[in-house]
Amino acid sequence: MLVLGIETSCDETSVSVVGEKNGKPEILSNIISSQVPLHAKWGGVVPNLAAREHLKNLPLIIRKALEESGKKLEEIGLIAVTKGPGLIPALLVGTGAAKTLSYISKKPLIGIHHIEGHIYSSLIGKDPKSVRFPILCLVISGGHTQLVLMEKHFEYEIIGETQDDAVGEAFDKVARILGLGYPGGPAISKEAEEAASQKISGEPPSLPRPMINSGDLNFSFSGLKTAVLYLTKDRPALLDEGQRKIVAHEFQEAVSEVLEKKTLEAVRRFSPKTVLLSGGVSANRRIRERLASSLKESFPDVDYLIPDIRLTGDNAAMIATAGLLRLKLSDRIGNLDDNWKNLETKADLGLNR
Ligand code: KG4
Ligand code: ZN
């Protein structure tokens, strides 16, 4: 079975062809066209500009993804598209294209929840039947920060989530405060890695670990961003090129400590057999490694699944993989609305704003 995936929920236009090798999802092509330079000058993603770019690029990228995979549209068995959540104008371009392709090729179409895609990115190249349930997923991206419990494939229960900003959003906002540009995640982690060699005059900066002792599994990151703002207002020297590395480092430590502590607490409470990390922020080496070493130390019998670093950001291979595995493992593909169950939150609907 070959699946053509389309992802246009934010500022990446991506199309992928995913097949199977020995029962494991295998990427035949995964074209990702980033719009970062276009949005950088606005300091964040502009929804209408993103939609316009998707509209311009999608036909070319569909052709390129098919070409690179060596397959023809007639050979595709299923079309999978990100149905949401995401920027509505951007999503409409992808879903419109997917519906058209499905109509002309007479192939079935499935809409995939973006977070389901991120979760299944960690299963690319792995035998989905060998994964041990329950799985505890820590999903960290620009729009989401969630602890999700899965008793079996495609069944989700959100057991904790951010009460305000997502982790990626906090990285991006703090990068802006520190004058590091957009997107902030990669810039902050680079600065933080360089910080070890820096000397700082005066007190080293110290930031709060929000909600670390809240007793529940929820998160909050907007106060941390404000703490960086006040810290640098009080001590403007911390914005100097050398010194801001230390702030970036302390911010990354604060975030990774909270993520680690809450995830370990969730492991204690729910006894999963696997912990799965995913989402754009899972590209962060410190977060990946910290979670790996603390799990190894405290829960050596728990498996740890992370996506290939190239598949952490938004991409269509994760959407195609979720579609493929739904087709293979689920008997409910016929109901295209089914896969929204239990993953949709008030925040996804814009009800928190
Ligand atoms: O999953 P993703 O590509 O898009 C959404 O679904 O939101 O995540 C994007 C987020 C951005 O906020 C970006 O700054 C962050 O992931 N990010 C990182 C790193 N690479 C990307 N955050 C921290 N460290 C990184 N290395
Ligand atoms: Zn994403």
PDB file of all heavy atoms in Angstrom, residues 9-12 114-115 118 140-144 167-172 182-190 252 279-285 287 312-314 318, ligand 1:
ATOM      1  N   SER A   9      -0.459  22.773   7.413  1.00  0.00           N
ATOM      2  CA  SER A   9      -1.166  23.405   8.536  1.00  0.00           C
ATOM      3  C   SER A   9      -0.533  24.720   8.988  1.00  0.00           C
ATOM      4  O   SER A   9      -1.174  25.538   9.627  1.00  0.00           O
ATOM      5  CB  SER A   9      -1.235  22.444   9.724  1.00  0.00           C
ATOM      6  OG  SER A   9       0.045  22.222  10.245  1.00  0.00           O
ATOM      7  N   CYS A  10       0.755  24.919   8.652  1.00  0.00           N
ATOM      8  CA  CYS A  10       1.414  26.140   9.124  1.00  0.00           C
ATOM      9  C   CYS A  10       2.304  26.712   8.006  1.00  0.00           C
ATOM     10  O   CYS A  10       1.790  27.071   6.954  1.00  0.00           O
ATOM     11  CB  CYS A  10       2.173  25.830  10.410  1.00  0.00           C
ATOM     12  SG  CYS A  10       2.697  27.296  11.297  1.00  0.00           S
ATOM     13  N   ASP A  11       3.598  26.773   8.230  1.00  0.00           N
ATOM     14  CA  ASP A  11       4.451  27.418   7.224  1.00  0.00           C
ATOM     15  C   ASP A  11       5.356  26.447   6.474  1.00  0.00           C
ATOM     16  O   ASP A  11       6.354  26.856   5.904  1.00  0.00           O
ATOM     17  CB  ASP A  11       5.285  28.547   7.857  1.00  0.00           C
ATOM     18  CG  ASP A  11       6.190  28.057   8.971  1.00  0.00           C
ATOM     19  OD1 ASP A  11       5.974  26.932   9.459  1.00  0.00           O
ATOM     20  OD2 ASP A  11       7.112  28.791   9.350  1.00  0.00           O
ATOM     21  N   GLU A  12       5.007  25.153   6.481  1.00  0.00           N
ATOM     22  CA  GLU A  12       5.734  24.203   5.657  1.00  0.00           C
ATOM     23  C   GLU A  12       4.759  23.595   4.658  1.00  0.00           C
ATOM     24  O   GLU A  12       3.703  23.113   5.046  1.00  0.00           O
ATOM     25  CB  GLU A  12       6.311  23.059   6.518  1.00  0.00           C
ATOM     26  CG  GLU A  12       7.779  23.184   6.809  1.00  0.00           C
ATOM     27  CD  GLU A  12       8.046  23.915   8.111  1.00  0.00           C
ATOM     28  OE1 GLU A  12       7.224  23.785   9.024  1.00  0.00           O
ATOM     29  OE2 GLU A  12       9.068  24.623   8.182  1.00  0.00           O
ATOM     30  N   HIS A 114      -3.314  16.759  13.132  1.00  0.00           N
ATOM     31  CA  HIS A 114      -1.892  17.109  13.065  1.00  0.00           C
ATOM     32  C   HIS A 114      -1.083  16.465  14.206  1.00  0.00           C
ATOM     33  O   HIS A 114       0.041  16.001  14.001  1.00  0.00           O
ATOM     34  CB  HIS A 114      -1.773  18.635  13.115  1.00  0.00           C
ATOM     35  CG  HIS A 114      -0.385  19.151  12.959  1.00  0.00           C
ATOM     36  ND1 HIS A 114       0.286  19.152  11.754  1.00  0.00           N
ATOM     37  CD2 HIS A 114       0.477  19.668  13.861  1.00  0.00           C
ATOM     38  CE1 HIS A 114       1.495  19.663  11.933  1.00  0.00           C
ATOM     39  NE2 HIS A 114       1.644  19.981  13.202  1.00  0.00           N
ATOM     40  N   ILE A 115      -1.676  16.417  15.380  1.00  0.00           N
ATOM     41  CA  ILE A 115      -0.946  15.852  16.531  1.00  0.00           C
ATOM     42  C   ILE A 115      -0.824  14.333  16.394  1.00  0.00           C
ATOM     43  O   ILE A 115       0.182  13.743  16.784  1.00  0.00           O
ATOM     44  CB  ILE A 115      -1.646  16.242  17.856  1.00  0.00           C
ATOM     45  CG1 ILE A 115      -1.586  17.768  18.032  1.00  0.00           C
ATOM     46  CG2 ILE A 115      -1.020  15.541  19.058  1.00  0.00           C
ATOM     47  CD1 ILE A 115      -0.190  18.370  17.973  1.00  0.00           C
ATOM     48  N   HIS A 118       2.197  13.942  14.351  1.00  0.00           N
ATOM     49  CA  HIS A 118       3.435  14.072  15.133  1.00  0.00           C
ATOM     50  C   HIS A 118       3.696  12.798  15.950  1.00  0.00           C
ATOM     51  O   HIS A 118       4.827  12.323  16.016  1.00  0.00           O
ATOM     52  CB  HIS A 118       3.358  15.277  16.078  1.00  0.00           C
ATOM     53  CG  HIS A 118       3.774  16.566  15.424  1.00  0.00           C
ATOM     54  ND1 HIS A 118       5.000  16.730  14.838  1.00  0.00           N
ATOM     55  CD2 HIS A 118       3.132  17.762  15.286  1.00  0.00           C
ATOM     56  CE1 HIS A 118       5.101  17.970  14.355  1.00  0.00           C
ATOM     57  NE2 HIS A 118       3.977  18.607  14.607  1.00  0.00           N
ATOM     58  N   ILE A 140       5.358  18.152  21.999  1.00  0.00           N
ATOM     59  CA  ILE A 140       5.783  19.545  22.219  1.00  0.00           C
ATOM     60  C   ILE A 140       6.034  20.213  20.868  1.00  0.00           C
ATOM     61  O   ILE A 140       6.919  19.824  20.120  1.00  0.00           O
ATOM     62  CB  ILE A 140       7.042  19.615  23.131  1.00  0.00           C
ATOM     63  CG1 ILE A 140       8.067  18.533  22.766  1.00  0.00           C
ATOM     64  CG2 ILE A 140       6.651  19.477  24.594  1.00  0.00           C
ATOM     65  CD1 ILE A 140       9.364  18.609  23.592  1.00  0.00           C
ATOM     66  N   SER A 141       5.211  21.231  20.583  1.00  0.00           N
ATOM     67  CA  SER A 141       5.360  21.895  19.278  1.00  0.00           C
ATOM     68  C   SER A 141       5.102  23.382  19.454  1.00  0.00           C
ATOM     69  O   SER A 141       5.020  23.889  20.568  1.00  0.00           O
ATOM     70  CB  SER A 141       4.376  21.278  18.277  1.00  0.00           C
ATOM     71  OG  SER A 141       3.067  21.692  18.581  1.00  0.00           O
ATOM     72  N   GLY A 142       4.951  24.066  18.318  1.00  0.00           N
ATOM     73  CA  GLY A 142       4.691  25.500  18.380  1.00  0.00           C
ATOM     74  C   GLY A 142       3.275  25.807  18.850  1.00  0.00           C
ATOM     75  O   GLY A 142       3.005  26.879  19.386  1.00  0.00           O
ATOM     76  N   GLY A 143       2.359  24.865  18.656  1.00  0.00           N
ATOM     77  CA  GLY A 143       0.967  25.097  19.032  1.00  0.00           C
ATOM     78  C   GLY A 143       0.479  24.223  20.175  1.00  0.00           C
ATOM     79  O   GLY A 143      -0.596  24.476  20.724  1.00  0.00           O
ATOM     80  N   HIS A 144       1.220  23.169  20.524  1.00  0.00           N
ATOM     81  CA  HIS A 144       0.753  22.210  21.528  1.00  0.00           C
ATOM     82  C   HIS A 144       1.823  21.833  22.536  1.00  0.00           C
ATOM     83  O   HIS A 144       3.000  21.748  22.191  1.00  0.00           O
ATOM     84  CB  HIS A 144       0.273  20.915  20.854  1.00  0.00           C
ATOM     85  CG  HIS A 144      -0.985  21.092  20.063  1.00  0.00           C
ATOM     86  ND1 HIS A 144      -0.994  21.700  18.839  1.00  0.00           N
ATOM     87  CD2 HIS A 144      -2.269  20.757  20.345  1.00  0.00           C
ATOM     88  CE1 HIS A 144      -2.245  21.734  18.394  1.00  0.00           C
ATOM     89  NE2 HIS A 144      -3.038  21.166  19.291  1.00  0.00           N
ATOM     90  N   VAL A 167       5.173  25.145  24.410  1.00  0.00           N
ATOM     91  CA  VAL A 167       6.626  25.259  24.606  1.00  0.00           C
ATOM     92  C   VAL A 167       7.303  25.968  23.435  1.00  0.00           C
ATOM     93  O   VAL A 167       8.118  26.875  23.617  1.00  0.00           O
ATOM     94  CB  VAL A 167       7.304  23.874  24.737  1.00  0.00           C
ATOM     95  CG1 VAL A 167       8.776  24.033  25.027  1.00  0.00           C
ATOM     96  CG2 VAL A 167       6.696  23.067  25.818  1.00  0.00           C
ATOM     97  N   GLY A 168       6.951  25.547  22.203  1.00  0.00           N
ATOM     98  CA  GLY A 168       7.589  26.141  21.021  1.00  0.00           C
ATOM     99  C   GLY A 168       7.314  27.638  20.940  1.00  0.00           C
ATOM    100  O   GLY A 168       8.182  28.431  20.571  1.00  0.00           O
ATOM    101  N   GLU A 169       6.087  27.996  21.314  1.00  0.00           N
ATOM    102  CA  GLU A 169       5.697  29.409  21.319  1.00  0.00           C
ATOM    103  C   GLU A 169       6.585  30.180  22.302  1.00  0.00           C
ATOM    104  O   GLU A 169       7.032  31.286  22.013  1.00  0.00           O
ATOM    105  CB  GLU A 169       4.231  29.444  21.774  1.00  0.00           C
ATOM    106  CG  GLU A 169       3.462  30.677  21.506  1.00  0.00           C
ATOM    107  CD  GLU A 169       2.007  30.496  21.993  1.00  0.00           C
ATOM    108  OE1 GLU A 169       1.581  29.354  22.325  1.00  0.00           O
ATOM    109  OE2 GLU A 169       1.310  31.517  22.068  1.00  0.00           O
ATOM    110  N   ALA A 170       6.843  29.580  23.460  1.00  0.00           N
ATOM    111  CA  ALA A 170       7.699  30.229  24.464  1.00  0.00           C
ATOM    112  C   ALA A 170       9.123  30.385  23.927  1.00  0.00           C
ATOM    113  O   ALA A 170       9.744  31.447  24.077  1.00  0.00           O
ATOM    114  CB  ALA A 170       7.692  29.422  25.763  1.00  0.00           C
ATOM    115  N   PHE A 171       9.632  29.332  23.265  1.00  0.00           N
ATOM    116  CA  PHE A 171      10.967  29.438  22.654  1.00  0.00           C
ATOM    117  C   PHE A 171      10.985  30.598  21.661  1.00  0.00           C
ATOM    118  O   PHE A 171      11.923  31.401  21.644  1.00  0.00           O
ATOM    119  CB  PHE A 171      11.324  28.140  21.913  1.00  0.00           C
ATOM    120  CG  PHE A 171      12.108  27.144  22.740  1.00  0.00           C
ATOM    121  CD1 PHE A 171      11.469  26.133  23.438  1.00  0.00           C
ATOM    122  CD2 PHE A 171      13.489  27.219  22.815  1.00  0.00           C
ATOM    123  CE1 PHE A 171      12.185  25.208  24.196  1.00  0.00           C
ATOM    124  CE2 PHE A 171      14.222  26.298  23.564  1.00  0.00           C
ATOM    125  CZ  PHE A 171      13.568  25.291  24.261  1.00  0.00           C
ATOM    126  N   ASP A 172       9.938  30.689  20.834  1.00  0.00           N
ATOM    127  CA  ASP A 172       9.912  31.731  19.802  1.00  0.00           C
ATOM    128  C   ASP A 172       9.819  33.123  20.417  1.00  0.00           C
ATOM    129  O   ASP A 172      10.492  34.060  19.970  1.00  0.00           O
ATOM    130  CB  ASP A 172       8.736  31.490  18.836  1.00  0.00           C
ATOM    131  CG  ASP A 172       8.910  30.208  18.023  1.00  0.00           C
ATOM    132  OD1 ASP A 172      10.059  29.747  17.884  1.00  0.00           O
ATOM    133  OD2 ASP A 172       7.901  29.658  17.550  1.00  0.00           O
ATOM    134  N   TYR A 182      13.469  34.661  14.209  1.00  0.00           N
ATOM    135  CA  TYR A 182      12.461  33.614  14.072  1.00  0.00           C
ATOM    136  C   TYR A 182      12.958  32.558  13.087  1.00  0.00           C
ATOM    137  O   TYR A 182      13.562  32.920  12.081  1.00  0.00           O
ATOM    138  CB  TYR A 182      11.146  34.239  13.570  1.00  0.00           C
ATOM    139  CG  TYR A 182      10.111  33.217  13.211  1.00  0.00           C
ATOM    140  CD1 TYR A 182       9.272  32.702  14.195  1.00  0.00           C
ATOM    141  CD2 TYR A 182      10.002  32.752  11.898  1.00  0.00           C
ATOM    142  CE1 TYR A 182       8.349  31.736  13.871  1.00  0.00           C
ATOM    143  CE2 TYR A 182       9.074  31.783  11.579  1.00  0.00           C
ATOM    144  CZ  TYR A 182       8.246  31.280  12.565  1.00  0.00           C
ATOM    145  OH  TYR A 182       7.331  30.315  12.244  1.00  0.00           O
ATOM    146  N   PRO A 183      12.702  31.266  13.287  1.00  0.00           N
ATOM    147  CA  PRO A 183      12.060  30.653  14.449  1.00  0.00           C
ATOM    148  C   PRO A 183      13.037  30.561  15.616  1.00  0.00           C
ATOM    149  O   PRO A 183      14.240  30.377  15.434  1.00  0.00           O
ATOM    150  CB  PRO A 183      11.671  29.262  13.958  1.00  0.00           C
ATOM    151  CG  PRO A 183      12.643  28.959  12.875  1.00  0.00           C
ATOM    152  CD  PRO A 183      13.077  30.273  12.269  1.00  0.00           C
ATOM    153  N   GLY A 184      12.494  30.667  16.812  1.00  0.00           N
ATOM    154  CA  GLY A 184      13.336  30.827  17.994  1.00  0.00           C
ATOM    155  C   GLY A 184      13.952  29.550  18.539  1.00  0.00           C
ATOM    156  O   GLY A 184      15.035  29.597  19.126  1.00  0.00           O
ATOM    157  N   GLY A 185      13.256  28.421  18.345  1.00  0.00           N
ATOM    158  CA  GLY A 185      13.724  27.171  18.967  1.00  0.00           C
ATOM    159  C   GLY A 185      15.159  26.830  18.606  1.00  0.00           C
ATOM    160  O   GLY A 185      16.022  26.699  19.479  1.00  0.00           O
ATOM    161  N   PRO A 186      15.429  26.683  17.297  1.00  0.00           N
ATOM    162  CA  PRO A 186      16.795  26.319  16.910  1.00  0.00           C
ATOM    163  C   PRO A 186      17.814  27.371  17.365  1.00  0.00           C
ATOM    164  O   PRO A 186      18.918  27.028  17.791  1.00  0.00           O
ATOM    165  CB  PRO A 186      16.729  26.264  15.381  1.00  0.00           C
ATOM    166  CG  PRO A 186      15.285  26.080  15.051  1.00  0.00           C
ATOM    167  CD  PRO A 186      14.511  26.733  16.148  1.00  0.00           C
ATOM    168  N   ALA A 187      17.437  28.656  17.312  1.00  0.00           N
ATOM    169  CA  ALA A 187      18.369  29.736  17.695  1.00  0.00           C
ATOM    170  C   ALA A 187      18.697  29.650  19.183  1.00  0.00           C
ATOM    171  O   ALA A 187      19.866  29.738  19.591  1.00  0.00           O
ATOM    172  CB  ALA A 187      17.755  31.095  17.362  1.00  0.00           C
ATOM    173  N   ILE A 188      17.667  29.443  20.012  1.00  0.00           N
ATOM    174  CA  ILE A 188      17.913  29.359  21.457  1.00  0.00           C
ATOM    175  C   ILE A 188      18.759  28.138  21.781  1.00  0.00           C
ATOM    176  O   ILE A 188      19.701  28.210  22.574  1.00  0.00           O
ATOM    177  CB  ILE A 188      16.593  29.323  22.244  1.00  0.00           C
ATOM    178  CG1 ILE A 188      15.928  30.686  22.107  1.00  0.00           C
ATOM    179  CG2 ILE A 188      16.814  28.935  23.710  1.00  0.00           C
ATOM    180  CD1 ILE A 188      15.023  31.099  23.198  1.00  0.00           C
ATOM    181  N   SER A 189      18.446  27.001  21.171  1.00  0.00           N
ATOM    182  CA  SER A 189      19.217  25.811  21.550  1.00  0.00           C
ATOM    183  C   SER A 189      20.676  25.954  21.125  1.00  0.00           C
ATOM    184  O   SER A 189      21.576  25.495  21.832  1.00  0.00           O
ATOM    185  CB  SER A 189      18.586  24.517  21.039  1.00  0.00           C
ATOM    186  OG  SER A 189      18.401  24.556  19.666  1.00  0.00           O
ATOM    187  N   LYS A 190      20.913  26.633  20.008  1.00  0.00           N
ATOM    188  CA  LYS A 190      22.302  26.854  19.565  1.00  0.00           C
ATOM    189  C   LYS A 190      23.039  27.741  20.574  1.00  0.00           C
ATOM    190  O   LYS A 190      24.150  27.435  21.009  1.00  0.00           O
ATOM    191  CB  LYS A 190      22.277  27.511  18.178  1.00  0.00           C
ATOM    192  CG  LYS A 190      23.635  27.731  17.569  1.00  0.00           C
ATOM    193  CD  LYS A 190      23.507  28.093  16.083  1.00  0.00           C
ATOM    194  CE  LYS A 190      24.828  28.572  15.524  1.00  0.00           C
ATOM    195  NZ  LYS A 190      25.104  29.978  15.877  1.00  0.00           N
ATOM    196  N   GLN A 252      16.341  27.268  28.608  1.00  0.00           N
ATOM    197  CA  GLN A 252      16.247  25.875  28.125  1.00  0.00           C
ATOM    198  C   GLN A 252      16.277  24.881  29.297  1.00  0.00           C
ATOM    199  O   GLN A 252      15.571  23.876  29.287  1.00  0.00           O
ATOM    200  CB  GLN A 252      17.391  25.592  27.153  1.00  0.00           C
ATOM    201  CG  GLN A 252      17.280  24.260  26.474  1.00  0.00           C
ATOM    202  CD  GLN A 252      18.315  24.083  25.375  1.00  0.00           C
ATOM    203  OE1 GLN A 252      18.081  24.475  24.237  1.00  0.00           O
ATOM    204  NE2 GLN A 252      19.449  23.513  25.697  1.00  0.00           N
ATOM    205  N   GLY A 279       6.917  16.192  18.056  1.00  0.00           N
ATOM    206  CA  GLY A 279       6.592  17.600  17.835  1.00  0.00           C
ATOM    207  C   GLY A 279       7.857  18.383  17.517  1.00  0.00           C
ATOM    208  O   GLY A 279       8.968  17.937  17.820  1.00  0.00           O
ATOM    209  N   GLY A 280       7.677  19.570  16.953  1.00  0.00           N
ATOM    210  CA  GLY A 280       8.822  20.380  16.504  1.00  0.00           C
ATOM    211  C   GLY A 280       9.889  20.601  17.563  1.00  0.00           C
ATOM    212  O   GLY A 280      11.088  20.574  17.272  1.00  0.00           O
ATOM    213  N   VAL A 281       9.469  20.785  18.826  1.00  0.00           N
ATOM    214  CA  VAL A 281      10.438  21.073  19.896  1.00  0.00           C
ATOM    215  C   VAL A 281      11.255  19.817  20.263  1.00  0.00           C
ATOM    216  O   VAL A 281      12.310  19.921  20.878  1.00  0.00           O
ATOM    217  CB  VAL A 281       9.730  21.670  21.137  1.00  0.00           C
ATOM    218  CG1 VAL A 281      10.733  22.072  22.208  1.00  0.00           C
ATOM    219  CG2 VAL A 281       8.890  22.882  20.738  1.00  0.00           C
ATOM    220  N   SER A 282      10.780  18.647  19.827  1.00  0.00           N
ATOM    221  CA  SER A 282      11.542  17.429  20.145  1.00  0.00           C
ATOM    222  C   SER A 282      12.847  17.376  19.352  1.00  0.00           C
ATOM    223  O   SER A 282      13.645  16.452  19.525  1.00  0.00           O
ATOM    224  CB  SER A 282      10.708  16.165  19.933  1.00  0.00           C
ATOM    225  OG  SER A 282      10.503  15.917  18.563  1.00  0.00           O
ATOM    226  N   ALA A 283      13.077  18.372  18.486  1.00  0.00           N
ATOM    227  CA  ALA A 283      14.397  18.489  17.836  1.00  0.00           C
ATOM    228  C   ALA A 283      15.440  18.954  18.852  1.00  0.00           C
ATOM    229  O   ALA A 283      16.636  18.840  18.614  1.00  0.00           O
ATOM    230  CB  ALA A 283      14.328  19.498  16.691  1.00  0.00           C
ATOM    231  N   ASN A 284      14.982  19.471  19.969  1.00  0.00           N
ATOM    232  CA  ASN A 284      15.901  20.028  20.964  1.00  0.00           C
ATOM    233  C   ASN A 284      16.707  18.913  21.635  1.00  0.00           C
ATOM    234  O   ASN A 284      16.147  18.041  22.305  1.00  0.00           O
ATOM    235  CB  ASN A 284      15.095  20.819  22.005  1.00  0.00           C
ATOM    236  CG  ASN A 284      15.998  21.556  22.963  1.00  0.00           C
ATOM    237  OD1 ASN A 284      16.614  20.954  23.836  1.00  0.00           O
ATOM    238  ND2 ASN A 284      16.098  22.854  22.795  1.00  0.00           N
ATOM    239  N   ARG A 285      18.021  18.987  21.439  1.00  0.00           N
ATOM    240  CA  ARG A 285      18.889  17.905  21.927  1.00  0.00           C
ATOM    241  C   ARG A 285      18.879  17.750  23.431  1.00  0.00           C
ATOM    242  O   ARG A 285      18.877  16.653  23.964  1.00  0.00           O
ATOM    243  CB  ARG A 285      20.316  18.154  21.453  1.00  0.00           C
ATOM    244  CG  ARG A 285      20.632  17.188  20.339  1.00  0.00           C
ATOM    245  CD  ARG A 285      22.089  17.103  20.100  1.00  0.00           C
ATOM    246  NE  ARG A 285      22.539  18.349  19.463  1.00  0.00           N
ATOM    247  CZ  ARG A 285      23.820  18.593  19.213  1.00  0.00           C
ATOM    248  NH1 ARG A 285      24.747  17.734  19.562  1.00  0.00           N
ATOM    249  NH2 ARG A 285      24.164  19.708  18.619  1.00  0.00           N
ATOM    250  N   ILE A 287      16.455  18.464  25.537  1.00  0.00           N
ATOM    251  CA  ILE A 287      15.198  17.848  25.987  1.00  0.00           C
ATOM    252  C   ILE A 287      15.201  16.349  25.670  1.00  0.00           C
ATOM    253  O   ILE A 287      14.855  15.520  26.524  1.00  0.00           O
ATOM    254  CB  ILE A 287      13.979  18.562  25.337  1.00  0.00           C
ATOM    255  CG1 ILE A 287      13.918  20.014  25.808  1.00  0.00           C
ATOM    256  CG2 ILE A 287      12.683  17.822  25.651  1.00  0.00           C
ATOM    257  CD1 ILE A 287      12.873  20.876  25.115  1.00  0.00           C
ATOM    258  N   THR A 312      11.067  15.797  13.037  1.00  0.00           N
ATOM    259  CA  THR A 312      10.461  16.419  14.221  1.00  0.00           C
ATOM    260  C   THR A 312       9.546  17.570  13.831  1.00  0.00           C
ATOM    261  O   THR A 312       8.494  17.770  14.412  1.00  0.00           O
ATOM    262  CB  THR A 312      11.551  16.930  15.189  1.00  0.00           C
ATOM    263  OG1 THR A 312      12.474  17.729  14.439  1.00  0.00           O
ATOM    264  CG2 THR A 312      12.271  15.798  15.863  1.00  0.00           C
ATOM    265  N   GLY A 313       9.958  18.370  12.834  1.00  0.00           N
ATOM    266  CA  GLY A 313       9.140  19.508  12.401  1.00  0.00           C
ATOM    267  C   GLY A 313       7.995  19.024  11.531  1.00  0.00           C
ATOM    268  O   GLY A 313       7.855  17.821  11.255  1.00  0.00           O
ATOM    269  N   ASP A 314       7.165  19.962  11.086  1.00  0.00           N
ATOM    270  CA  ASP A 314       6.005  19.582  10.282  1.00  0.00           C
ATOM    271  C   ASP A 314       6.444  18.960   8.962  1.00  0.00           C
ATOM    272  O   ASP A 314       7.261  19.530   8.246  1.00  0.00           O
ATOM    273  CB  ASP A 314       5.129  20.814  10.027  1.00  0.00           C
ATOM    274  CG  ASP A 314       4.478  21.292  11.313  1.00  0.00           C
ATOM    275  OD1 ASP A 314       4.492  20.534  12.299  1.00  0.00           O
ATOM    276  OD2 ASP A 314       3.941  22.416  11.314  1.00  0.00           O
ATOM    277  N   MET A 318       4.789  12.123   8.165  1.00  0.00           N
ATOM    278  CA  MET A 318       4.107  11.715   9.405  1.00  0.00           C
ATOM    279  C   MET A 318       2.594  11.600   9.179  1.00  0.00           C
ATOM    280  O   MET A 318       1.923  10.760   9.784  1.00  0.00           O
ATOM    281  CB  MET A 318       4.434  12.693  10.546  1.00  0.00           C
ATOM    282  CG  MET A 318       3.857  14.075  10.400  1.00  0.00           C
ATOM    283  SD  MET A 318       4.472  15.192  11.688  1.00  0.00           S
ATOM    284  CE  MET A 318       3.280  16.560  11.573  1.00  0.00           C
TER     285      MET A 318
HETATM  286  O1  KG4 B   1       5.748  20.909  15.158  1.00  0.00           O
HETATM  287  P1  KG4 B   1       6.213  22.186  14.613  1.00  0.00           P
HETATM  288  O2  KG4 B   1       7.140  22.150  13.439  1.00  0.00           O
HETATM  289  O3  KG4 B   1       5.001  23.090  14.246  1.00  0.00           O
HETATM  290  C1  KG4 B   1       3.826  23.085  15.012  1.00  0.00           C
HETATM  291  O4  KG4 B   1       3.050  22.115  14.902  1.00  0.00           O
HETATM  292  O5  KG4 B   1       3.687  24.028  15.806  1.00  0.00           O
HETATM  293  O6  KG4 B   1       6.918  22.973  15.816  1.00  0.00           O
HETATM  294  C2  KG4 B   1       7.494  24.230  15.594  1.00  0.00           C
HETATM  295  C3  KG4 B   1       8.115  24.720  16.870  1.00  0.00           C
HETATM  296  C4  KG4 B   1       8.589  26.160  16.770  1.00  0.00           C
HETATM  297  O7  KG4 B   1       8.075  26.861  17.886  1.00  0.00           O
HETATM  298  C5  KG4 B   1      10.098  26.034  16.824  1.00  0.00           C
HETATM  299  O8  KG4 B   1      10.733  27.160  17.416  1.00  0.00           O
HETATM  300  C6  KG4 B   1      10.279  24.797  17.667  1.00  0.00           C
HETATM  301  O9  KG4 B   1       9.283  23.926  17.195  1.00  0.00           O
HETATM  302  N1  KG4 B   1      11.612  24.177  17.533  1.00  0.00           N
HETATM  303  C7  KG4 B   1      12.479  24.028  18.554  1.00  0.00           C
HETATM  304  C8  KG4 B   1      13.660  23.458  18.011  1.00  0.00           C
HETATM  305  N2  KG4 B   1      13.457  23.280  16.664  1.00  0.00           N
HETATM  306  C9  KG4 B   1      12.188  23.727  16.395  1.00  0.00           C
HETATM  307  N3  KG4 B   1      12.370  24.333  19.866  1.00  0.00           N
HETATM  308  C10 KG4 B   1      13.427  24.077  20.656  1.00  0.00           C
HETATM  309  N4  KG4 B   1      14.594  23.551  20.216  1.00  0.00           N
HETATM  310  C11 KG4 B   1      14.747  23.223  18.908  1.00  0.00           C
HETATM  311  N5  KG4 B   1      15.908  22.696  18.488  1.00  0.00           N
END
